């Protein structure tokens, strides 16, 4: 395993335990989803991985070694709170930040050109950051986190502030880094992004993991499924079928949460002879469903 956290706890005071007994393994060359409401312990965990905070208990190892200044040059970090210098040009600050990671200016300059071309903003190289839109500042911040070609990349809310076109552009870049062998820890409030990009995940709540493992296995073990029904007649009677847990009325019909496939079969039988059914679809639960079940409805 590339990154391993064993029994990691971070306690700031008697009353404040930010992370509690966290066991986590991020396989080499994979993208790992890290989820949780604000205050769940995600950022504190990231800061411990980076060596900015020391665990109260437990250990963090990267390729079998403890995190130290000798290993941090192999780590890239995109923080949720952006930290670019507004008065410097893109070239000035990115070549400087890369130099801090041990990259020669000529190499970082060449790599910067490649990324700016990829993100279709080569003209921004000599512009000051304050002259760029928030979305383009975000792309520059991402480039800063990967310019030194890290082996481990930590992305904290990387898509915030981006329009759909730039989200897809950044997603493609992240997937390419994964294919090239970079291990990626990815935090987001957008469940659909985690479902699309990550094979393994951990959901944190009040500093402790409440769901952890392979995404497909997590969905299978949840024990509930979703049934979407679109029809040209009233479907509200399906709510009364035993095993229907919840029902959400949509523009074209309903989405039901059910306890199993047998319930979906009973729903199909109940629809016979009622009229034209345009859609009947049985699906695994979404990550959003699982998150709400495990963490609760009050989250940001």
């Amino acid at each position: 395993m590339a990154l391993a956290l064993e029994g990691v706890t971070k306690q700031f005071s008697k009353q404040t335990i930010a992370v509690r007994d966290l066991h986590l393994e991020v396989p080499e060359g994979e993208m790992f989803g890290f989820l949780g409401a604000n205050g769940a312990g995600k950022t504190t965990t990231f800061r411990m991985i980076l060596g900015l905070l020391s665990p109260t208990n437990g250990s963090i190892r990267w390729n079998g070694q403890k995190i130290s200044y000798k290993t941090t040059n192999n780590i890239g970090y995109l923080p949720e709170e952006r930290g670019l210098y507004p008065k410097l040009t893109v070239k000035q600050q990115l070549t400087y930040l890369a130099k801090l990671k041990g990259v020669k200016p000529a190499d970082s300059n060449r790599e910067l050109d490649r990324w700016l071309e990829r993100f279709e903003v080569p003209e921004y190289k000599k512009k000051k950051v304050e002259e760029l839109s928030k979305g383009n500042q975000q792309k520059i911040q991402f480039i800063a986190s990967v310019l030194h070609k890290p082996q481990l990349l930590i992305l904290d809310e990387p898509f915030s502030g981006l329009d759909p076109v730039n989200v897809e552009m950044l997603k493609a870049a992240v997937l390419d880094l994964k294919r090239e062998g970079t291990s990626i820890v990815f935090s987001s409030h957008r469940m659909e992004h985690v479902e699309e990009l990550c094979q393994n995940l951990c959901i944190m709540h009040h500093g402790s993991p409440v769901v952890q493992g392979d995404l497909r296995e997590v969905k299978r073990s949840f024990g509930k499924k979703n049934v979407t029904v679109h029809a040209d007649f009233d479907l509200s009677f399906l709510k009364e079928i035993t095993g229907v847990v919840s029902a959400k009325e949509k523009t074209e019909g309903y989405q039901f949460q059910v306890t199993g496939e047998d319930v979906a079969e009973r729903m199909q039988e109940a629809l016979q002879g009622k009229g034209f059914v345009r859609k009947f679809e049985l699906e695994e639960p979404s990550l959003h469903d699982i998150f709400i079940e495990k963490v609760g409805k009050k989250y940001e």
Side-chain angles (χ1 to χ4, degrees):
M1 295 294 174
L3 178 66
L5 284 71
E6 299 177 358
V8 170
T9 294
K10 182 60 183 179
Q11 184 167 355
F12 290 104
S13 67
K14 289 182 178 181
Q15 293 77 28
T16 306
I17 301 177
V19 178
R20 188 190 307 269
D21 194 28
L22 178 60
H23 295 264
L24 198 67
E25 293 181 339
V26 178
E28 188 172 359
E30 283 198 16
M31 197 178 311
F32 190 98
F34 207 51
L35 300 169
N38 289 338
K42 303 188 303 298
T43 299
T44 299
T45 301
F46 289 161
R47 288 173 178 168
M48 287 190 287
I49 293 172
L50 292 162
L52 300 175
L53 291 174
S54 298
T56 306
N57 291 304
S59 66
I60 301 174
R61 295 185 179 275
W62 165 249
N63 287 334
Q65 297 182 333
K66 286 187 176 181
I67 299 289
S68 68
Y69 284 110
K70 294 180 181 179
T71 59
T72 52
N73 279 0
N74 293 320
I75 302 175
Y77 180 43
L78 175 65
E80 184 176 7
E81 302 84 8
R82 311 312 179 205
L84 295 172
Y85 299 102
K87 299 295 182 182
L88 292 180
T89 67
V90 168
K91 178 184 176 181
Q92 285 173 331
Q93 64 183 311
L94 264 61
T95 52
Y96 169 71
L97 292 172
K99 187 176 181 180
L100 294 178
K101 292 288 188 178
V103 183
K104 295 178 181 178
D107 294 334
S108 63
N109 191 50
R110 183 168 54 251
E111 193 69 7
L112 173 58
D113 285 341
R114 185 178 73 85
W115 277 107
L116 291 175
E117 287 287 347
R118 169 155 192 167
F119 286 157
E120 301 175 0
V121 288
E123 69 276 13
Y124 290 170
K125 187 175 182 179
K126 296 182 180 180
K127 284 192 173 185
K128 294 180 180 179
V129 168
E130 65 182 2
E131 297 172 5
L132 307 181
S133 67
K134 288 185 178 180
N136 284 319
Q137 287 183 27
Q138 174 71 341
K139 287 193 280 190
I140 300 304
Q141 183 96 44
F142 174 82
I143 295 172
S145 71
V146 299
L147 205 59
H148 60 294
K149 298 183 178 180
Q151 296 174 331
L152 172 65
L153 178 60
I154 298 173
L155 302 174
D156 197 352
E157 297 289 344
F159 304 127
S160 64
L162 294 180
D163 61 54
V165 172
N166 283 318
V167 166
E168 293 304 313
M169 188 179 291
L170 198 60
K171 271 198 275 187
V174 171
L175 286 170
D176 280 349
L177 289 169
K178 175 191 169 187
R179 280 189 283 267
E180 292 166 6
T182 306
S183 302
I184 301 170
V185 181
F186 167 68
S187 169
S188 177
H189 287 103
R190 298 291 297 272
M191 305 296 158
E192 69 273 20
H193 291 158
V194 176
E195 284 188 281
E196 181 182 352
L197 297 171
C198 301
Q199 180 180 343
N200 293 281
L201 63 92
C202 175
I203 298 177
M204 298 280 288
H205 187 49
H206 295 321
S208 300
V210 293
V211 174
Q212 192 170 350
D214 182 278
L215 177 58
R216 290 168 296 184
E217 293 301 322
V218 166
K219 286 190 171 189
R220 289 193 195 106
S221 64
F222 184 59
K224 298 173 186 175
K225 296 184 181 297
N226 292 335
V227 176
T228 300
V229 186
H230 296 171
D232 295 331
F233 54 92
D234 183 19
L235 297 168
S236 59
F237 70 96
L238 293 174
K239 300 177 188 178
E240 308 306 319
I241 293 177
T242 301
V244 173
V245 178
S246 65
K248 293 180 181 177
E249 189 170 3
K250 304 288 186 178
T251 304
E252 298 180 313
Y254 276 85
Q255 183 181 70
F256 301 92
Q257 191 176 77
V258 301
T259 56
E261 293 181 8
D262 58 320
V263 182
E265 291 177 4
R266 291 200 295 273
M267 295 172 73
Q268 275 188 315
E269 292 170 0
L271 288 167
Q272 297 301 316
K274 293 288 196 302
F276 180 64
V277 177
R278 287 179 282 108
K279 181 177 182 179
F280 188 96
E281 188 172 38
L282 176 66
E283 298 176 306
E284 294 289 343
S286 69
L287 189 52
H288 182 270
D289 296 329
I290 296 170
F291 189 93
I292 293 296
E293 176 90 4
K294 299 296 183 180
V295 174
K297 295 183 178 180
K298 291 186 178 180
Y299 72 96
E300 297 180 337

